[in-house]
């Protein structure tokens, strides 16, 4: 238990904040739905409960993935966060289905009502602002490696979308889910206004369906990314940059193999280089130390580097991969 508590400080902070905020928002929306019976509020309530559960488990998973390797698990626990995220998307998938079904039922039995209009507007407006604050925190985590002048002010918004693919799995899930959360709250607001003041009383039902479909899209994207992570996906762009850097060393003749494998938030790098067969063990050891130091200094989250040496066969093997 002491080790577990100690690992929690390494969990993804945006996921923890998202879990707390969405729990509060879900409780507020539940109260509003029980009072008003509004279907758009039901969709948002389900969405918030799903987000809160997901992000709590994501926080726990991201923390446990930092556990040091053991004799039983010498490869470490980096991929644990991917496994947790695969489980988390199932929760969102079920809630998305229920949201769509509820929206369809409301479309077939839409009624006009101006009751509790301002309560619905107030709750959804507050939810949108709270979820926007969590989204901003996720944006900061995604862009934390960029120069400050590139993410100052409103520049952080396009920069976060541009670099979202490079984000840690847990941060990426929070970012995608809160995009849907903010967009869903604003859509629900619009739907309530339309259904209240126009003859289009089924607007909230359509909004519920759109929110549910948006959740399914997020589920699909997160599932594919983390299924690849569980299998061990190579970062081809990073491999190209590493290879180009290694080939700058005057004593390295060629690269036979180079793999940069994502292990959750961490990177596992394996390299096999060709050198002059007359090279001494001391010289090879100096090259090993140099490569390992350069990689760990210039690339974030590198946990281990395995370097093998072979004699130069006179043939060119290394071809820079397409990024």
């Amino acid at each position: 238990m002491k080790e577990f508590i100690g690992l929690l400080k390494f969990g993804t902070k945006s996921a923890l904040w998202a879990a707390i905020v969405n729990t509060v928002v879900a409780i507020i929306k539940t109260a509003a739905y029980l009072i008003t019976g509004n279907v758009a509020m039901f969709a948002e309530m389900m969405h918030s409960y799903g987000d809160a559960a997901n992000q709590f488990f994501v926080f726990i998973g991201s923390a446990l993935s930092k556990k040091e390797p053991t004799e039983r698990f010498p490869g470490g626990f980096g991929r644990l966060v991917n496994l947790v995220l695969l489980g988390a998307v199932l929760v969102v998938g079920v809630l998305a289905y229920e949201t769509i079904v509820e929206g369809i039922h409301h479309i077939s039995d839409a009624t006009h009502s101006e009751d509790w209009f301002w309560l619905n507007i107030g709750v959804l407006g507050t939810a949108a602002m709270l979820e926007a604050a969590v989204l901003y925190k996720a944006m900061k985590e995604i862009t934390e490696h960029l120069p400050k002048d590139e993410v100052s002010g409103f520049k952080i918004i396009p920069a976060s979308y541009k670099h979202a693919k490079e984000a840690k799995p847990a941060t990426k899930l929070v970012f995608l889910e809160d995009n849907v959360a903010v967009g869903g709250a604003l859509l629900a607001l619009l739907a309530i206004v339309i259904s209240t003041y126009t003859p289009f009383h089924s607007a909230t039902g359509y909004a519920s369906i759109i929110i549910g479909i948006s959740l399914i899209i997020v589920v699909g994207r997160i599932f594919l990314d983390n299924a690849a992570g569980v299998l061990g996906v190579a970062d081809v762009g990073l491999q190209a940059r590493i290879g180009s850097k290694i080939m700058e060393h005057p004593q390295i003749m060629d690269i036979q193999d180079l793999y940069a494998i994502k292990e959750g938030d961490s990177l596992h790098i394996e390299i096999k280089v060709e050198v002059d067969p007359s090279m001494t063990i001391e010289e090879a050891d100096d090259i090993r130390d140099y490569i390992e130091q350069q990689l760990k200094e210039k690339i974030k989250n590198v946990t281990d580097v395995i370097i093998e040496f072979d004699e130069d066969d006179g043939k060119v093997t290394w071809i820079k991969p397409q990024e």
Side-chain angles (χ1 to χ4, degrees):
M1 181 59 71
K2 185 177 179 181
E3 181 186 18
F4 172 74
I5 294 172
L7 286 170
L8 290 181
K9 65 182 179 181
F10 298 112
T12 303
K13 299 300 184 294
S14 61
L16 177 60
W17 279 108
I20 295 170
V21 169
N22 276 294
T23 299
V24 173
V25 169
I27 293 170
I28 294 171
K29 288 177 181 176
T30 301
Y33 170 66
L34 292 174
I35 293 170
T36 67
N38 187 283
V39 70
M41 187 65 72
F42 173 83
E44 281 296 294
M45 175 192 76
M46 296 290 278
H47 184 184
S48 293
Y49 276 122
D51 282 356
N54 261 352
Q55 290 153 353
F56 176 73
F57 285 115
V58 166
F59 170 71
I60 298 297
S62 64
L64 294 179
S65 69
K66 302 299 189 299
K67 180 179 170 63
E68 292 294 326
T70 64
E71 186 175 335
R72 186 179 179 188
F73 299 102
F77 298 83
R79 298 185 194 184
L80 182 60
V81 66
N82 299 114
L83 287 170
V84 170
L85 287 169
L86 284 177
V89 297
L90 295 176
V91 177
V92 179
V94 171
L95 294 178
Y97 170 77
E98 292 295 333
T99 300
I100 292 171
V101 169
E102 189 68 20
I104 292 171
H105 288 165
H106 181 74
I107 290 171
S108 62
D109 188 27
T111 56
H112 173 70
S113 175
E114 295 186 18
D115 296 338
W116 309 108
F117 174 77
W118 289 111
L119 174 62
N120 286 322
I121 295 296
V123 168
L124 290 173
T126 301
M129 287 188 289
L130 289 172
E131 285 160 344
V134 175
L135 178 60
Y136 176 71
K137 188 167 183 62
M139 288 180 174
K140 287 184 70 175
E141 285 192 10
I142 290 172
T143 58
E144 63 184 0
H145 65 288
L146 298 176
K148 288 186 178 180
D149 60 316
E150 291 186 24
V151 293
S152 58
F154 290 106
K155 291 181 182 177
I156 193 173
I157 297 174
S160 63
Y161 285 95
K162 182 179 178 180
H163 294 276
K165 289 183 179 180
E166 305 163 16
K168 298 175 182 178
T171 303
K172 190 174 182 179
L173 181 138
V174 173
F175 178 73
L176 291 176
E177 283 195 339
D178 275 285
N179 267 286
V180 176
V182 174
L186 295 176
L187 178 62
L189 274 169
L190 179 62
I192 288 171
V193 172
I194 292 173
S195 65
T196 302
Y197 293 111
T198 74
F200 187 35
H201 305 316
S202 60
T204 52
Y206 285 102
S208 181
I209 292 173
I210 293 171
I211 292 168
I213 292 172
S214 299
L215 283 171
I216 289 175
I217 292 171
V218 169
V219 164
R221 181 68 267 169
I222 295 297
F223 177 84
L224 291 174
D225 286 350
N226 286 281
V230 169
L231 294 173
V233 62
D235 190 328
V236 178
L238 181 60
Q239 288 174 180
R241 294 194 292 274
I242 292 172
S244 298
K245 190 68 179 176
I246 290 174
M247 288 300 292
E248 292 176 4
H249 196 288
Q251 292 177 287
I252 294 178
M253 307 301 181
D254 199 3
I255 301 174
Q256 284 189 13
D257 295 302
L258 195 163
Y259 301 104
I261 307 297
K262 291 182 179 178
E263 301 276 357
D265 296 342
S266 306
L267 277 168
H268 168 81
I269 300 174
E270 295 184 22
I271 309 165
K272 189 173 185 179
V273 297
E274 293 181 3
V275 295
D276 190 317
S278 63
M279 180 178 289
T280 65
I281 294 177
E282 184 180 359
E283 289 174 320
D285 196 50
D286 288 341
I287 293 174
R288 185 196 307 277
D289 292 341
Y290 170 80
I291 293 174
E292 187 169 351
Q293 181 183 3
Q294 288 294 307
L295 292 178
K296 289 189 174 180
E297 282 181 358
K298 297 183 178 180
I299 302 174
K300 290 180 62 179
N301 303 317
V302 174
T303 52
D304 63 319
V305 181
I306 298 174
I307 305 170
E308 295 182 43
F309 293 92
D310 198 1
E311 62 179 342
D312 182 20
D313 59 9
K315 299 177 183 179
V316 176
T317 303
W318 173 253
I319 299 174
K320 181 179 178 180
Q322 294 296 317
E323 295 189 35

